[in-house]
């Protein structure tokens, strides 16, 4: 065969897929983004909350676009003549009439409407859990403070977006929620009346509120969320993903799955799983049946009116606050019964969440970059504070359902209200104490496992008659994870003066010192290299004693009496790792 002839089966033309890729690269330069294809993402179940929120947002966009084709955002009055007999002949707004029409007369309308509502609830819930996960693991620290603020603003906007969409049908329940919003707006000093006129176009309820909320719900707020979400994901790519401590994981690398094809395949499957669950909820779990509430009338309200769960804390705060108002000189009335629970308390709660990364960095003076996460038990004060914050939210949430609880459980409404008032102060304090004690107990348990091994549940009788439980040494990966925990220590006490000169920053440094003692004080230290060495030597001695007593050694190198007798090679490796960890 001559050199010009081609071998049998050799390719004679470029594969179609490669040709398409080359064509796209010549015009878009996609080959320059190959580093994104190999971007590594770590694996942990808690990372899925952010994905659930993202996929729910995609479902919201798709279902919301479909609903805009049939919904009419008008408060013009009409008489219902549709297929739902109980509402026939009743005057109502065009917004309510088209909502009922979507539910009963348009094929698949009720399914899409309920899927849209369920997706909103799931997205807000996933974002709350996602934020809590970041808080408890410390992923908000440098260099991710800005991304934390972006996520917080997204949470606020998504909550606002849910309230806007909840208010559009103009039914009796959503109208009650708007009436509360009207009262809260009017309670804001100085600017409240102007803001109310701008929002409602006049006295409540007016005829402009639904047409004004509609563009905010379908255009402005989703657009802002989309922009912030894009920036948020870009920063995740730029900073690289955080990960929990473990073998091979450092502040300079990420251990996990590449974006293509592993992570993309998993993410695609998870998207369809989330979509399927939302579709199942929409098909079997009824939500927001507006036809049972009827159209909104300002002179009516239904017993047991409850907002969506994410607004329950605001409802509970309003119900728990006693009536309190006073008149300023000039006849200006300040309604503290609304201003405190509906404006001041939510603002303070939001400020604590948003500013926590900067507060912790100021208290600790920590300016290092952090890419490894803490376990919640590794930071007892922060974890206890986060859980106490959640407990306060739950107390207010159940306070918003005091009438439902009183009816269902045959309890006194006043007794429930007073329980909520007391619980606002008592429950977070008790929750903080209990949570911190649990974290410290878990730290002691981890220390004990490192020094004495894990309990196996097997009981052995020693030659002199004593019964002991057999312990086994932890596997090396688990030991590494426990030893890699960072020991946090409070700041040293500031000096009141130096060479007889008072410290000009004395008060500020004393405040930082006290806060750092609250944040980092009282933690259980990891075993030192000397303690680990002594524990290993003791385990080896116990294993040798048992082997001499029964004539043979344990096959896995662990002592039958305490289960902590490694081989000489394991001993040396453990000592080296302990020394390296301390250094």
């Amino acid at each position: 065969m001559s050199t010009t002839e081609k071998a049998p089966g050799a390719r004679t033309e470029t594969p179609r897929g490669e040709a398409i890729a080359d064509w796209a690269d010549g015009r878009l330069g996609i080959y320059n983004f190959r580093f994104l294809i190999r971007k590594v993402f770590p694996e942990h179940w808690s990372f899925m909350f952010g994905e659930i929120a993202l996929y729910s947002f995609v479902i919201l966009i798709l279902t919301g676009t479909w609903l805009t084709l049939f919904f009419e955002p008008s408060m013009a009055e009409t008489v219902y003549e549709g297929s739902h007999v109980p509402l026939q002949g009743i005057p109502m707004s065009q917004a309510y009439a088209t909502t009922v029409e979507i539910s009963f007369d348009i094929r698949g309308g009720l399914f899409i409407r309920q899927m849209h509502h369920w997706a909103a609830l799931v997205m807000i819930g996933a974002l709350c859990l996602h934020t809590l996960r970041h808080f408890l693991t410390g992923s908000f620290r440098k260099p991710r403070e800005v991304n934390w603020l972006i996520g917080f603003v997204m949470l606020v906007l998504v909550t606002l977006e849910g309230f806007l969409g909840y208010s559009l049908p103009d039914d009796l329940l959503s109208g009650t929620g708007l009436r509360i919003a009207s009262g809260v707006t009017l309670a804001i000093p100085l600017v409240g009346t102007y803001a109310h006129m701008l929002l409602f176009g006049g006295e409540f309820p007016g005829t402009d509120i639904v047409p004004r909320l509609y563009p905010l719900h379908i255009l402005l707020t989703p657009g802002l969320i989309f922009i912030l979400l894009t920036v948020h994901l870009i920063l995740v790519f730029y900073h690289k993903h955080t990960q929990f401590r473990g073998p091979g994981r450092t502040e300079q690398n990420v251990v996990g799955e590449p974006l293509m094809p592993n992570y993309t395949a998993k993410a695609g499957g998870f998207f369809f799983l989330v979509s399927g669950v939302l579709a199942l909820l929409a098909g079997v779990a009824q939500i927001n049946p507006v036809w049972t509430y009827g159209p909104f009338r300002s002179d009516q309200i239904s017993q047991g009116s409850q907002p969506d769960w994410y607004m329950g804390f605001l409802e509970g705060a309003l119900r728990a606050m006693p009536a309190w108002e006073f008149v300023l000189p000039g006849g200006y009335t300040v309604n503290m019964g609304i201003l405190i629970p509906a404006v001041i308390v939510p603002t303070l709660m939001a400020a604590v969440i948003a500013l926590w990364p900067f507060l912790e960095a100021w208290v600790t003076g920590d300016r290092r970059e952090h890419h490894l996460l803490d376990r919640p038990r590794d930071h007892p004060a922060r974890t206890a504070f986060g859980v106490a914050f959640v407990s306060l939210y739950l107390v207010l949430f159940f306070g918003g359902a005091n009438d439902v609880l009183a009816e269902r459980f045959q309890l006194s409404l006043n007794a429930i209200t007073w329980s909520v008032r007391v619980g606002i102060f008592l429950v977070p304090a008790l929750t903080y104490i209990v949570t911190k004690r649990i974290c410290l107990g878990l730290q002691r348990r981890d220390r004990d496992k490192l020094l004495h091994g894990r309990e196996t549940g097997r009981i052995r009788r020693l030659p002199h008659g004593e019964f002991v439980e057999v312990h086994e040494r932890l596997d090396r990966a688990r030991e590494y994870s426990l030893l890699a925990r960072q020991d946090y220590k409070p700041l040293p006490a500031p000096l009141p003066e130096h060479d007889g000169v008072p410290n000009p920053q004395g008060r500020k440094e004393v405040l930082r010192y006290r806060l750092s003692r609250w944040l980092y004080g009282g933690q259980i230290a990891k075993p030192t290299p000397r303690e680990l060495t002594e524990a290993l030597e003791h385990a080896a001695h116990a294993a040798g004693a048992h082997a001499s007593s029964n004539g043979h050694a344990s096959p896995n190198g662990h002592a039958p009496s305490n289960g902590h007798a490694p081989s000489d090679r394991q001993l040396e490796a453990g000592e080296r790792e302990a020394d390296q960890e301390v250094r």
Side-chain angles (χ1 to χ4, degrees):
M1 184 174 66
S2 65
T3 56
T4 59
E5 295 178 356
K6 295 182 179 180
R11 292 182 177 178
T12 58
E13 60 182 15
T14 304
R16 183 178 298 273
E18 185 177 343
I20 294 175
D22 290 339
W23 182 90
D25 178 66
R27 291 152 180 83
L28 304 175
I30 61 174
Y31 290 165
N32 295 327
F33 297 95
R34 65 166 59 94
F35 71 95
L36 295 178
I37 297 178
R38 305 306 297 172
K39 184 72 174 179
V40 176
F41 288 86
E43 292 184 339
H44 194 269
W45 63 267
S46 63
F47 299 162
M48 299 170 69
F49 294 131
E51 296 183 40
I52 293 174
L54 174 62
Y55 302 151
S56 299
F57 182 66
V58 174
I59 297 299
L60 282 169
I61 295 298
L62 296 176
T63 55
T65 302
W66 188 92
L67 290 172
T68 57
L69 302 176
F70 306 98
F71 179 74
E72 184 175 347
S74 172
M75 298 186 72
E77 186 172 303
T78 184
V79 177
Y80 182 75
E81 299 295 343
S83 60
H84 188 57
V85 177
L87 292 177
Q88 290 180 355
I90 296 179
M92 60 185 64
S93 65
Q94 288 284 358
Y96 183 77
T98 52
T99 303
V100 176
E101 181 183 358
I102 291 173
S103 302
F104 290 103
D105 299 325
I106 297 176
R107 187 180 299 274
L110 180 60
F111 174 79
I112 297 297
R113 203 180 129 257
Q114 295 200 150
M115 191 173 183
H116 187 76
H117 202 130
W118 275 115
L121 299 184
V122 170
M123 181 182 181
I124 299 175
L127 275 179
C128 290
L129 294 174
H130 184 64
T131 303
L132 182 62
R133 195 272 297 179
H134 281 289
F135 181 84
L136 296 180
T137 58
S139 65
F140 52 79
R141 294 172 293 185
K142 183 182 178 180
R144 296 176 177 83
E145 301 96 333
V146 174
N147 220 10
W148 168 269
L149 289 177
I150 292 174
F152 167 75
V153 174
M154 277 199 297
L155 178 59
V156 174
L157 287 177
V158 169
T159 304
L160 175 62
E161 174 75 347
F163 177 75
L164 295 176
Y166 168 83
S167 305
L168 288 179
D170 197 32
D171 59 286
L172 185 59
L173 187 60
S174 66
T176 303
L178 281 175
R179 187 68 183 93
I180 295 175
S182 170
V184 172
T185 306
L186 288 173
I188 301 176
L190 302 179
V191 299
T193 54
Y194 300 101
H196 187 276
M197 294 294 290
L198 178 64
L199 180 62
F200 289 90
E203 296 294 335
F204 180 85
T207 58
D208 297 334
I209 182 62
V210 171
R212 294 187 180 189
L213 295 183
Y214 187 66
L216 296 178
H217 178 70
I218 70 168
L219 183 62
L220 181 60
T221 311
L224 292 175
I225 294 172
F226 179 79
I227 293 172
L228 291 175
L229 177 61
T230 303
V231 177
H232 183 76
L233 294 178
I234 290 174
L235 289 178
V236 170
F237 268 80
Y238 176 73
H239 292 143
K240 75 183 181 181
H241 208 293
T242 54
Q243 58 186 345
F244 285 95
R245 302 176 188 273
R249 300 174 181 179
T250 68
E251 297 282 5
Q252 287 75 39
N253 70 346
V254 178
V255 178
E257 299 282 352
L259 177 63
M260 294 289 291
N262 305 55
Y263 185 79
T264 303
K266 292 181 179 179
F270 192 47
F271 169 76
F272 289 110
L273 179 61
V274 173
S275 303
V277 171
L278 292 176
L280 180 64
L281 288 172
V284 302
Q286 179 177 274
I287 188 170
N288 198 24
V290 295
W291 55 90
T292 64
Y293 308 142
F296 174 70
R297 287 184 52 179
S298 56
D299 60 337
Q300 293 182 355
I301 187 173
S302 59
Q303 188 274 338
S305 298
Q306 301 294 317
D308 281 339
W309 71 267
Y310 50 86
M311 299 300 294
F313 82 100
L314 185 63
E315 179 88 5
L318 286 167
R319 296 189 184 191
M321 182 68 189
W324 177 25
E325 66 179 29
F326 55 87
V327 181
L328 296 176
Y332 191 88
T333 302
V334 179
N335 192 335
M336 302 300 291
I338 298 178
L339 185 63
I340 290 178
V343 179
I344 297 178
V345 170
T347 301
L348 290 177
M349 294 173 68
V352 169
I353 297 174
L355 301 179
W356 182 272
F358 307 97
L359 173 64
E360 185 170 316
W362 178 76
V363 169
T364 62
D366 188 1
R367 297 295 184 266
R368 297 170 299 167
E369 288 194 2
H370 293 272
H371 303 288
L372 292 177
L373 300 174
D374 295 327
R375 293 183 305 167
R377 71 183 65 176
D378 297 339
H379 213 302
R382 182 207 294 155
T383 300
F385 182 86
V387 176
F389 190 92
V390 173
S391 70
L392 172 62
Y393 183 94
L394 292 177
V395 169
L396 296 176
F397 172 80
F398 286 108
N402 57 0
D403 54 342
V404 177
L405 295 175
E407 179 189 8
R408 295 297 175 88
F409 296 100
Q410 302 299 313
L411 299 173
S412 168
L413 179 66
N414 291 333
I416 295 177
T417 302
W418 273 103
S419 298
V420 172
R421 291 172 178 173
V422 175
I424 289 174
F425 301 96
L426 184 62
V427 172
L430 293 178
T431 304
Y432 176 87
I433 295 172
V434 171
T435 303
K436 188 171 183 178
R437 298 306 302 173
I438 291 175
C439 291
L440 293 175
L442 292 174
Q443 285 188 1
R444 291 190 182 93
R445 184 167 175 262
D446 290 341
R447 176 185 171 87
D448 184 72
K449 284 184 177 181
L450 287 171
L451 294 177
H452 306 293
R454 69 176 184 88
E455 300 174 352
T456 64
R458 301 195 303 270
I459 304 299
R460 187 178 297 276
R461 184 178 183 183
L462 301 182
H464 58 276
E466 180 185 2
F467 289 91
V468 296
E469 183 178 10
V470 178
H471 286 64
E472 289 183 354
R473 185 180 180 184
L474 300 177
D475 62 87
R476 306 304 290 161
R478 179 63 173 165
E479 282 189 354
Y480 180 90
S481 299
L482 295 181
L483 286 172
R485 173 173 71 90
Q486 183 175 355
D487 273 336
Y488 295 101
K489 300 185 182 301
L491 296 175
L495 298 175
E497 60 181 30
H498 180 68
D499 294 337
V501 179
N503 186 356
Q505 302 292 330
R507 292 184 178 180
K508 179 180 177 180
E509 291 181 1
V510 167
L511 177 62
R512 288 184 61 193
Y513 168 69
R514 291 176 178 175
L515 288 175
S516 68
R517 283 185 59 84
W518 164 72
L519 197 60
Y520 290 153
Q523 297 207 51
I524 308 302
K526 294 184 300 184
T528 64
R530 182 180 182 85
E531 291 173 332
L532 287 172
T533 302
E534 291 177 353
L536 293 172
E537 291 175 351
H538 173 73
H541 175 73
H546 179 75
S548 62
S549 66
N550 59 12
H552 64 277
S554 175
N556 61 0
H558 291 89
S561 60
N562 64 5
H564 210 142
S567 63
D568 293 340
R569 181 178 300 176
Q570 291 172 322
L571 254 171
E572 296 172 0
E575 293 175 359
R576 287 197 303 271
E577 288 188 11
D579 291 337
Q580 291 173 359
E581 175 62 26
V582 170
R583 287 197 295 269

